[in-house]
Amino acid sequence: MAGPATGLAESAISILTRAVELDTKAKYTESLVCYQEGIQLLLNVLKSETSQAKKEQYRTRINDYMSRAEKIKSLIEQQKETGKFHEQIQISKGARGFSYEHVFDRFLDQSLTEVTVEDPYIRSTHQIYNFLRFCELLVASSCKVTKISLLTGRDEQNYTQQDGRLREMAKSLVDYGINLVVEYSDSLHDREIRFNNGWIIKIGRGLDYFVNCGKFSIGYCNFNLRHCHETTIDIFHSKHLKVADGDNS
Amino acid sequence: MAGPATGLAESAISILTRAVELDTKAKYTESLVCYQEGIQLLLNVLKSETSQAKKEQYRTRINDYMSRAEKIKSLIEQQKETGKFHEQIQISKGARGFSYEHVFDRFLDQSLTEVTVEDPYIRSTHQIYNFLRFCELLVASSCKVTKISLLTGRDEQNYTQQDGRLREMAKSLVDYGINLVVEYSDSLHDREIRFNNGWIIKIGRGLDYFVNCGKFSIGYCNFNLRHCHETTIDIFHSKHLKVADGDNS
């Protein structure tokens, strides 16, 4: 008879299969997330399993996956060291499961203290909420961010409103020891998020890759349930993040 | 020198200390959540630790905590079996960290298929969003809920709006194979959420225990960062959930 653990075990297998797929394609950071989620699910299965033989099987598998996850972690480190890290995430049209937590969590480690967001479109209401959610993610994480810099375009129609909203956000971030610095630029083109632990994330559409949905429909509050527009996320790592553009020549 | 793992280890110790505290007070389900979060953090510490001696120390501690977590799980089972389960969570004024995920996740297992929400105040905009978030939690979980029943009071001033919003929600839940049934009652007094795996959760304020915050302030989107009103959550377990009130005499 299928017990409660069966469904959990199925979820674990499905996510670990995905981990192996991504691993094979050398999409290491994405693969690592899946391994970690899968291992967590298997640990839960282990807890509700009563057969000692099965428990032993699960323990062996968990150990195997943990070893592989550690191996991947060192592969990522190697690529970072040699400045060769480049990974791509393709979000297909209508896909779900790409909340900011899912996309960015893996880059938020204990060495992160400053984040720079360059995105020309943090202007309209839903775009400002995207940025608020991104800031909330930083606040809720265990990393100790003290500064967030936003460079965006000025909303010529509603500049007072845009600036007022960003000021409110800045004020509320002070309670968490975070200084939000907002600058406006008319000539901004690139969309780029830079973490001062070296990670650089470029999303084709910037933070604005979610499809609108009804205001009282599933997915309105939880972005993991929201459909996405098609877009590409490029992930780089630079050990020399603070070099200005002009110095690259 | 303090490495990145130090901060993580501190977070793990802090949450595991809380787990032991709650364990001592026999607040088992809440304690279990802390043990599980703490174990997960220690697993992350283990991964970034390089010293073999320390790795071994962490492994021993993880095993100890996992044994205790399993023991607690069986204590909860025993109390459920004997119909004696009662646990209380006190949310103090201004507390944070009580998102619906944090409060309800522990009750969402694979045997859950139906949820009943009795709450007289799912009426105004923010109350309907509370209920939407609660439904999103069920959708995002790995359990297979097929029916959500809501019994609430009618908003006499804005009934058309209230009903329209709940209908939109019901329509969007159909995509996830969930049937939302809404009924209105004028005589509703109790606030109670019943899961058909036996868990019954009574929150003094119903789902409406979050303090308002600025519309563009931290905590507006992420309820784990939102301050709470003072309230008490009572957790019961009944093996005979489907017995109607009148049959208890």
Side-chain angles (χ1 to χ4, degrees), chain B residues 33-88:
Chain B
V33 171
C34 292
Y35 275 120
Q36 287 168 341
E37 285 178 11
I39 290 167
Q40 184 54 40
L41 287 175
L42 275 192
L43 285 169
N44 294 338
V45 176
L46 181 66
K47 273 183 279 180
S48 48
E49 182 57 60
T50 47
S51 140
Q52 281 305 323
K54 282 202 169 180
K55 263 185 189 290
E56 205 40 57
Q57 280 177 23
Y58 283 128
R59 280 207 193 93
T60 309
R61 294 189 67 170
I62 289 169
N63 276 331
D64 289 351
Y65 289 123
M66 279 178 82
S67 305
R68 183 60 198 162
E70 292 202 37
K71 180 78 188 150
I72 287 185
K73 238 179 155 170
S74 63
L75 281 171
I76 295 173
E77 282 309 312
Q78 277 171 29
Q79 294 191 346
K80 277 162 64 176
E81 286 304 316
T82 52
K84 283 182 186 158
F85 192 93
H86 178 212
E87 188 176 319
Q88 228 176 32

Side-chain angles (χ1 to χ4, degrees), chain A residues 42-54:
Chain A
L42 275 191
L43 284 169
N44 293 339
V45 175
L46 180 66
K47 274 182 280 179
S48 48
E49 183 56 61
T50 47
S51 139
Q52 282 306 321
K54 281 202 171 179

Side-chain angles (χ1 to χ4, degrees), chain B residues 114-197:
Chain B
E114 289 188 26
V115 180
T116 303
V117 177
E118 291 187 5
D119 189 323
Y121 292 98
I122 304 293
R123 304 188 192 188
S124 64
T125 304
H126 81 275
Q127 291 165 347
I128 292 179
Y129 275 123
N130 288 341
F131 183 64
L132 176 62
R133 281 172 185 263
F134 178 79
C135 292
E136 286 183 333
L137 170 66
L138 298 175
V139 169
S141 77
S142 59
C143 57
K144 293 182 179 68
V145 171
T146 54
K147 186 178 176 186
I148 302 171
S149 305
L150 171 67
L151 185 63
T152 189
R154 197 183 291 260
D155 184 347
E156 296 301 344
Q157 312 303 313
N158 264 308
Y159 171 64
T160 317
Q161 191 181 62
Q162 177 192 21
D163 197 54
R165 289 167 169 182
L166 290 169
R167 275 172 199 273
E168 178 186 330
M169 216 183 289
K171 198 161 164 268
S172 77
L173 278 162
V174 169
D175 292 344
Y176 295 91
I178 298 176
N179 181 21
L180 170 63
V181 179
V182 181
E183 283 183 87
Y184 297 95
S185 163
D186 295 337
S187 58
L188 196 59
H189 43 90
D190 252 30
R191 284 145 190 216
E192 187 171 291
I193 297 176
R194 293 194 299 275
F195 297 101
N196 77 335
N197 54 8

Side-chain angles (χ1 to χ4, degrees), chain A residues 3-8 10-11 32 36 39-41 43-44 46-49 55 59 66 69-70 73 96 101 109-111 125 128-129 132-133 135-137 139-140 142 144 165-166 168-170 172-173 175-176 213-223 225-227, chain B residues 3-8 10-11 32 36 39-41 43-44 46-49 55 59 66 69-70 73 96 101 109-111 125 128-129 132-133 135-137 139-140 142 144 165-166 168-170 172-173 175-176 213-223 225-227:
Chain A
T6 315
L8 255 187
E10 281 168 11
S11 307
L32 191 60
Q36 287 168 340
I39 289 167
Q40 185 55 40
L41 287 175
L43 284 169
N44 293 339
L46 180 66
K47 274 182 280 179
S48 48
E49 183 56 61
K55 263 185 188 289
R59 280 208 193 92
M66 280 178 82
E70 291 203 39
K73 237 178 154 169
R96 282 187 295 219
E101 281 74 5
D109 62 26
Q110 297 289 313
S111 65
T125 305
I128 293 179
Y129 276 123
L132 176 62
R133 281 173 185 262
C135 293
E136 286 183 332
L137 171 66
V139 169
S142 59
K144 293 181 178 68
R165 288 168 169 182
L166 290 170
E168 179 186 332
M169 217 183 289
S172 76
L173 278 162
D175 292 343
Y176 295 91
C213 81
K215 276 189 187 308
F216 295 92
S217 294
I218 293 298
Y220 188 77
C221 299
N222 183 337
F223 274 19
L225 300 172
R226 186 80 77 90
H227 293 285
Chain B
T6 315
L8 253 187
E10 281 168 11
S11 307
L32 191 60
Q36 287 168 341
I39 290 167
Q40 184 54 40
L41 287 175
L43 285 169
N44 294 338
L46 181 66
K47 273 183 279 180
S48 48
E49 182 57 60
K55 263 185 189 290
R59 280 207 193 93
M66 279 178 82
E70 292 202 37
K73 238 179 155 170
R96 281 186 296 219
E101 280 74 5
D109 63 24
Q110 297 290 311
S111 64
T125 304
I128 292 179
Y129 275 123
L132 176 62
R133 281 172 185 263
C135 292
E136 286 183 333
L137 170 66
V139 169
S142 59
K144 293 182 179 68
R165 289 167 169 182
L166 290 169
E168 178 186 330
M169 216 183 289
S172 77
L173 278 162
D175 292 344
Y176 295 91
C213 82
K215 276 188 187 306
F216 295 92
S217 295
I218 295 296
Y220 187 78
C221 299
N222 183 337
F223 274 18
L225 301 172
R226 186 80 78 89
H227 293 285

